[in-house]
Amino acid sequence: MTAALARLAWSPAGFVNEFYPSFWWIPAGVLTAALAIKLPTIVRLWSDPLLRAVGGVLLIACAVFVFVAPSTIARVNRVTGVPNISAPWVYSLLTAFCGSCLLLIIAWRNGLSDRSASTVRAVRWVVAGSLGVIAALWVLFALADAPVERLRDLDTYYANTPYMREMILLYLLAQAVATVITSGLIWNWVRTDGLDAWLRWGLKFLGVGYATQLSFYAVKLPAVAARWTGHHLDWLSTAVAPPLACLSAILIAVGFILPHAGQYLAERWRVRLAHRRLRPLYLLMRTVNGSGVSFVLRATPELRLIRRETFIRDALLPLARHIDEAGRRRTYEAALTLGHAPARAKALAAAVAIQDAVESRRWSLEPEGHHDPDTTDLLREIGTVSSALRHPEDLEAVRARAGREGARDQRGIRR
C-alpha cells in the first residue's frame, strides 16, 4: 500500500488518473468565478459588444469544462439514451469556443467599426467554418457505430472506428488550425507599438494560453495516430492532455479579462487617489464653510470625487477676494529661489496664499481695495495645491523666505 502511494505521489500520470473525475471542475470553478466577477461590469455596460463577447466566450468555456467532466458525460448519455452522444456535443462546444475566440480577437484588434472587405470576409470564413465543422461532427456521429460508452478515452478507443475516426480527427485538426491562426494574430498584435500596458499583458497571457492549447493537440493527435499503427499511447490523451487543457483555458480567460479588469481597476484607483489627494485642501476649506460634504451611503467613487471638487471650488470662489496677489508673487519668487521647479513653486505659493486668506477671513479682515481676482489657475490646480499642503515644512520655508524678501523690500523703500 505504501509503495503504491509513493508511486502515485511521484507519477504525474498517476496523479491525473487518480483525480480525473473531479479534475475538470477546477477550471470550471475558476472560469465561473471569472465570469461572476466580470458579470456586474457586463450588465452595467451592456451596450459594449466587446464586453458581451468576452462574457460569451467565458460562458462557453465554462460549459466545455462542465460537460467534459465524466459525471456530466455519463448523465447526458443516460438522459438522452444514446451512448457517447456527449462526444459530438463536447466537440461542438470546443469548436464554438475556438471560433468565438478567433472572432473576438478579430473584432478586438480591428475594432467593431471596421467593415473592410478583408475583415468581413474573415468573419464569414470563421462563422461558416465553425458551423460547417459542427454540422459535420453530428453527421459523422450519426453514421458511426459506437455502442460502448467511454467516459475518459473515447478519442483513442474509437480511433480506428469508421466515421468516429473521422469525427475525432476533424475536431482535433479544425481546432488546431483555429488555434494556430488565433495565436499568430495575437503575437503579431503584441509586437504593435503604442499598446496599452494592460492590453499588452492580456495579449501575452492569451499567447501563452494558445501555445498551451497547441501543446494539447500536439499530445492528442499522436495518441490517436498511435492506435492507427497498433501502438498504445493512450496515457498522452488521458493523463497529459487534460492538465494542458485546464491550464490553457485559465490562461485564455485571464488574457481576455485582464485588459478590461485592469483598465477598470486602474481608473478606480486613479479616482480614489485623486479623492485622497484633495483631502488636505478639503479639510482647510471646511474651516471656511464650517461644514463639509454630506455623506451619501451609495455614492460611487466618481461621485464622491466630483462632490469634493465642487465643494472646494465653491469655497475658494468667495475666499479668492482675500488672497494677497502681491504676497503670492513674492512667495512664488521665494520658492523658485529655494530651488523648487516652477510648477511646484506655483503650487506652494498658492497654498500659502490660501492659508493666509483663510486666516484673513477668519479675523474678518477685509482686503484692501476692491479687486476681482482671476481664479482660473487656482480652481484648475486644486490637486497640486492640495498636495503642497501635505508638506508644511516646505510651506514654512517658503513663507519665511518670502517674509525676509518682503522685509528687505520694505527697508529699501524707506531708504
Side-chain angles (χ1 to χ4, degrees), residues 181-264:
I181 296 173
T182 307
S183 183
L185 290 175
I186 289 170
W187 287 115
N188 285 336
W189 194 3
V190 169
R191 290 191 288 269
T192 304
D193 294 331
L195 289 181
D196 174 77
W198 289 106
L199 176 58
R200 191 179 297 278
W201 274 107
L203 291 174
K204 288 180 179 179
F205 271 98
L206 284 174
V208 175
Y210 279 104
T212 308
Q213 188 168 316
L214 280 176
S215 64
F216 168 83
Y217 301 116
V219 298
K220 270 281 189 180
L221 283 168
V224 172
R227 283 298 189 108
W228 300 343
T229 59
H231 295 84
H232 192 282
L233 295 177
D234 291 13
W235 61 274
L236 287 174
S237 179
T238 58
V240 179
L244 293 174
C246 296
L247 179 61
S248 169
I250 293 172
L251 289 171
I252 291 173
V254 171
F256 279 128
I257 291 174
L258 190 60
H260 296 283
Q263 290 166 3
Y264 171 75

Side-chain angles (χ1 to χ4, degrees), residues 24-278:
W24 302 98
W25 295 106
I26 298 173
V30 172
L31 290 167
T32 302
L35 182 60
I37 293 172
K38 195 67 182 169
L39 192 59
T41 305
I42 296 173
V43 172
R44 188 175 64 255
L45 302 175
W46 184 253
S47 58
D48 187 341
L50 283 179
L51 277 177
R52 296 201 305 269
V54 170
V57 168
L58 290 175
L59 184 62
I60 295 174
C62 291
V64 168
F65 284 98
V66 168
F67 283 100
V68 82
S71 58
T72 309
I73 291 175
R75 188 173 294 112
V76 171
N77 292 341
R78 184 171 60 253
V79 168
T80 60
V82 181
N84 299 312
I85 197 172
S86 284
W89 172 243
V90 171
Y91 297 161
S92 297
L93 287 175
L94 283 168
T95 303
F97 174 73
C98 290
S100 299
C101 290
L102 184 52
L103 285 175
L104 182 55
I105 291 297
I106 293 172
W108 200 0
R109 179 175 181 176
N110 297 347
L112 295 172
S113 59
D114 184 10
R115 292 293 184 269
S116 63
S118 58
T119 300
V120 172
R121 187 165 54 249
V123 170
R124 287 176 179 174
W125 271 105
V126 173
V127 173
S130 300
L131 294 177
V133 169
I134 292 173
L137 290 173
W138 286 97
V139 171
L140 290 169
F141 179 76
L143 295 174
D145 182 20
V148 181
E149 183 181 61
R150 308 301 299 184
L151 302 181
R152 296 176 53 177
D153 60 347
L154 183 138
D155 291 348
T156 51
Y157 184 86
Y158 286 109
N160 287 316
T161 302
Y163 300 112
M164 286 294 286
R165 173 183 58 226
E166 286 76 13
M167 182 187 74
I168 294 165
L169 189 61
L170 174 63
Y171 103 83
L172 288 174
L173 290 178
Q175 292 167 28
V177 169
T179 303
V180 169
I181 296 173
T182 307
S183 183
L185 290 175
I186 289 170
W187 287 115
N188 285 336
W189 194 3
V190 169
R191 290 191 288 269
T192 304
D193 294 331
L195 289 181
D196 174 77
W198 289 106
L199 176 58
R200 191 179 297 278
W201 274 107
L203 291 174
K204 288 180 179 179
F205 271 98
L206 284 174
V208 175
Y210 279 104
T212 308
Q213 188 168 316
L214 280 176
S215 64
F216 168 83
Y217 301 116
V219 298
K220 270 281 189 180
L221 283 168
V224 172
R227 283 298 189 108
W228 300 343
T229 59
H231 295 84
H232 192 282
L233 295 177
D234 291 13
W235 61 274
L236 287 174
S237 179
T238 58
V240 179
L244 293 174
C246 296
L247 179 61
S248 169
I250 293 172
L251 289 171
I252 291 173
V254 171
F256 279 128
I257 291 174
L258 190 60
H260 296 283
Q263 290 166 3
Y264 171 75
L265 292 176
E267 178 61 22
R268 294 298 291 267
W269 175 252
R270 186 197 65 78
V271 170
R272 291 183 183 277
L273 198 62
H275 186 269
R276 182 177 178 274
R277 188 185 184 193
L278 290 174

Side-chain angles (χ1 to χ4, degrees), residues 290-319:
S291 62
V293 178
S294 59
F295 177 74
V296 178
L297 182 61
R298 298 182 64 85
T300 63
E302 292 82 1
L303 179 58
R304 286 198 293 270
L305 175 61
I306 292 172
R307 297 183 71 202
R308 177 165 286 189
E309 290 174 339
T310 303
F311 174 85
I312 291 172
R313 291 189 174 103
D314 288 347
L316 278 175
L317 283 172
L319 186 67

Side-chain angles (χ1 to χ4, degrees), residues 344-362:
R344 175 69 173 165
K346 185 177 180 181
L348 289 170
V352 170
I354 290 174
Q355 287 179 330
D356 292 344
V358 170
E359 287 299 317
S360 174
R361 185 179 185 277
R362 183 176 298 164

Side-chain angles (χ1 to χ4, degrees), residues 284-415:
L284 183 60
M285 292 301 98
R286 284 185 62 175
T287 64
V288 175
N289 275 13
S291 62
V293 178
S294 59
F295 177 74
V296 178
L297 182 61
R298 298 182 64 85
T300 63
E302 292 82 1
L303 179 58
R304 286 198 293 270
L305 175 61
I306 292 172
R307 297 183 71 202
R308 177 165 286 189
E309 290 174 339
T310 303
F311 174 85
I312 291 172
R313 291 189 174 103
D314 288 347
L316 278 175
L317 283 172
L319 186 67
R321 60 192 297 267
H322 294 270
I323 291 178
D324 181 4
E325 291 297 336
R328 183 178 175 184
R329 286 191 294 271
R330 284 196 306 271
T331 308
Y332 174 72
E333 295 295 335
L336 291 176
T337 304
L338 290 173
H340 293 287
R344 175 69 173 165
K346 185 177 180 181
L348 289 170
V352 170
I354 290 174
Q355 287 179 330
D356 292 344
V358 170
E359 287 299 317
S360 174
R361 185 179 185 277
R362 183 176 298 164
W363 293 102
S364 300
L365 298 178
E366 288 298 323
E368 295 181 3
H370 297 282
H371 65 291
D372 187 15
D374 184 3
T375 59
T376 303
D377 288 343
L378 187 62
L379 297 178
R380 185 172 58 240
E381 303 298 332
I382 57 176
T384 57
V385 173
S386 185
S387 296
L389 289 171
R390 290 184 179 275
H391 302 278
E393 66 283 356
D394 291 343
L395 295 177
E396 289 304 318
V398 169
R399 190 190 299 274
R401 182 62 181 250
R404 289 195 297 270
E405 293 292 337
R408 187 181 300 117
D409 292 344
Q410 289 294 330
R411 286 198 299 270
I413 293 172
R414 283 196 292 270
R415 287 175 185 171

